[in-house]
Amino acid sequence: MAYIDVLKSIKKGNVAPIYLLSGTEHYIIEDTLHLLIKQVLTEEEREFNLSKFDMKEYPIELAVEEAYTFPFMGGKRVVIVKDAFFFSASKDTGKMEHDLKKLEAYLQEPAPETVFVILAPYDKLDERKKIVKLAKKNGQFLDGSPLEERDLKLWVMDRGKENNVHFNEDAIEHLITLTGAQLMLMASEIKKISIHIGEGGTITKELVEELVPRSLEQNIFALVEGVVKREIDKSWKIYLDLLKQKEEPIKIIALMVRQFRILYQVKQLSQQGYSQKQMASQLKLHPYVVKLAGNQARQFKDEELLGVLNDLANMDYEIKTGKIDKVLAVELFFSKRAPVRNT
């Protein structure tokens, strides 16, 4: 089930006896777990009825035994199984042995008084394993993969409602861009903007621009965007601002190389027929970042991107060997890409 749908179900009080939370977006897993605990247990109950077992330190049978234990003072018990590597195809190098037959038996007949939560923060589960099939059949499965654009926007709107504010469409787009679609950072910024504007307020793109700071990576993205559009004055201004923030030119150049390499890779994969989701998985990037890179990459021919990467590589070499001043080198790089002005 999708992240947003799982959250809605929990908020309505529809709590399953088993949860299998998987995927590489750690914020999604942690946010779901936090809501689940909050929904099932009061603050006072957590001291007695909340148990956590790290599978690198405890055998699974200990967690199963705890799950069968009747909750203190009635109510519900929550048992959390962390780093359940045996749900994936990877092999654990630790010395802890686990009796998975006991886990299978529990997943077939879970205790009605217990919410059994399995955390498997991996890219893929081993669908051939019986414990994976049983957990999905008798419980609730969360796909904690990075959210795609549509779900990202729905998530922002939902967070806005929770904070009693409304987001304009272009404000949502700008927030996602400035934060690099990082959910934890987005949640923090939404909270901050909501406090600033007050209940019932409308959040605009201008407000997001004013209140949400750009990360170094986002400044590099904007700098590259200036190169793409041949708005070199914009790129130069961003570069000088980064220098004022004590960022090293060599580091800036390295990040520029990384961004242009992403553009080239996205362009190549797109030409080979890869989807946005497939490219994100292949390049280990967020799907929204791939989308933005694709928009930039379309402005270049293959040979132009290779030319930019070659120029950046030569510039890096000349700076490191003392052949040219680092600030002058970047200025020459930008000047080479400035539009020719008619006289």
Side-chain angles (χ1 to χ4, degrees):
M1 185 180 284
Y3 169 50
I4 293 174
D5 294 329
V6 172
L7 293 186
K8 287 180 179 178
S9 179
I10 295 172
K11 288 175 182 177
K12 290 179 180 178
N14 300 322
V15 178
I18 299 168
Y19 282 87
L20 175 55
L21 311 183
S22 179
T24 56
E25 184 64 82
H26 296 294
Y27 178 86
I28 288 178
I29 293 176
E30 290 298 322
D31 190 46
T32 304
L33 181 60
H34 174 76
L35 179 62
L36 196 53
I37 294 171
K38 183 180 178 182
Q39 183 73 25
V40 176
L41 303 175
T42 65
E43 289 284 349
E44 294 76 18
E45 289 173 329
R46 293 175 197 180
E47 183 177 354
F48 305 102
N49 292 331
L50 175 62
S51 305
K52 300 178 182 179
F53 297 89
D54 190 322
M55 293 297 95
K56 294 178 181 178
E57 299 177 7
Y58 300 96
I60 185 61
E61 51 267 33
L62 197 61
V64 169
E65 183 181 332
E66 182 74 5
Y68 279 126
T69 304
F70 197 77
F72 183 75
M73 298 294 288
K76 288 277 189 180
R77 175 180 293 282
V78 176
V79 175
I80 301 167
V81 175
K82 298 179 65 178
D83 293 322
F85 63 88
F86 34 75
F87 277 79
S88 71
S90 63
K91 294 183 179 179
D92 185 64
T93 56
K95 297 179 180 179
M96 185 62 60
E97 293 185 4
H98 300 277
D99 187 347
L100 297 184
K101 289 296 181 181
K102 289 189 176 179
L103 175 60
E104 284 181 15
Y106 182 84
L107 295 176
Q108 285 177 323
E109 293 187 39
E113 302 85 9
T114 297
V115 179
F116 196 75
V117 187
I118 304 158
L119 306 185
Y122 313 109
D123 187 27
K124 292 181 180 179
L125 299 180
D126 191 340
E127 301 291 342
R128 299 168 299 176
K129 291 185 175 181
K130 189 174 181 180
I131 53 174
V132 175
K133 295 175 182 177
L134 286 172
K136 287 187 174 184
K137 178 183 176 182
N138 298 327
Q140 193 75 262
F141 170 67
L142 168 71
D143 178 9
S145 302
L147 299 181
E148 296 190 27
E149 185 178 357
R150 175 182 171 275
D151 289 329
L152 265 177
K153 291 180 177 179
L154 289 173
W155 181 82
V156 172
M157 287 190 288
D158 188 58
R159 284 298 163 113
K161 289 179 182 176
E162 287 183 9
N163 288 278
N164 297 307
V165 295
H166 171 75
F167 274 88
N168 284 347
E169 178 69 23
D170 56 355
I172 295 175
E173 290 266 4
H174 202 48
L175 176 67
I176 295 171
T177 300
L178 289 182
T179 57
Q182 297 178 53
L183 292 181
M184 186 174 293
L185 181 56
M186 289 171 67
S188 174
E189 294 299 334
I190 290 171
K191 191 73 175 177
K192 182 179 73 177
I193 298 171
S194 301
I195 292 172
H196 175 85
I197 197 172
E199 290 191 11
T202 297
I203 297 173
T204 63
K205 179 181 179 179
E206 292 73 24
L207 191 61
V208 171
E209 176 68 26
E210 177 187 346
L211 296 178
V212 178
R214 291 181 185 270
S215 65
L216 174 58
E217 288 74 17
Q218 287 308 309
N219 272 311
I220 296 298
F221 181 87
L223 186 154
V224 169
E225 181 78 5
V227 174
V228 170
K229 295 181 177 179
R230 294 193 177 275
E231 297 172 352
I232 302 304
D233 289 345
K234 171 185 173 183
S235 296
W236 181 245
K237 182 180 182 302
I238 293 171
Y239 177 69
L240 292 179
D241 286 342
L242 290 174
L243 292 183
K244 290 177 184 177
Q245 296 169 28
K246 307 299 182 183
E247 295 292 350
E248 273 295 317
I250 296 298
K251 182 178 180 181
I252 296 171
I253 293 167
L255 288 171
M256 288 171 61
V257 170
R258 177 181 180 273
Q259 182 63 24
F260 276 108
R261 188 177 291 124
I262 288 172
L263 300 193
Y264 183 74
Q265 291 170 328
V266 167
K267 191 171 183 66
Q268 294 303 304
L269 291 173
S270 179
Q271 290 170 355
Q272 293 172 36
Y274 280 67
S275 68
Q276 183 176 303
K277 189 172 183 179
Q278 288 172 326
M279 286 188 278
S281 176
Q282 183 88 358
L283 300 175
K284 306 299 182 187
L285 296 170
H286 194 286
Y288 192 79
V289 172
V290 170
K291 175 195 172 185
L292 296 178
N295 292 339
Q296 287 187 336
R298 280 192 287 272
Q299 307 298 316
F300 288 98
K301 296 179 181 177
D302 289 1
E303 55 269 24
E304 288 177 321
L305 279 172
L306 288 173
V308 170
L309 286 168
N310 186 59
D311 287 348
L312 286 169
N314 289 336
M315 177 173 64
D316 184 61
Y317 173 77
E318 291 182 347
I319 291 172
K320 289 178 178 177
T321 55
K323 292 184 178 181
I324 191 171
D325 174 74
K326 50 193 176 184
V327 177
L328 176 60
V330 178
E331 185 174 1
L332 290 173
F333 171 80
F334 287 145
S335 298
K336 185 177 179 180
R337 279 153 187 84
V340 178
R341 300 182 187 277
N342 295 323
T343 57

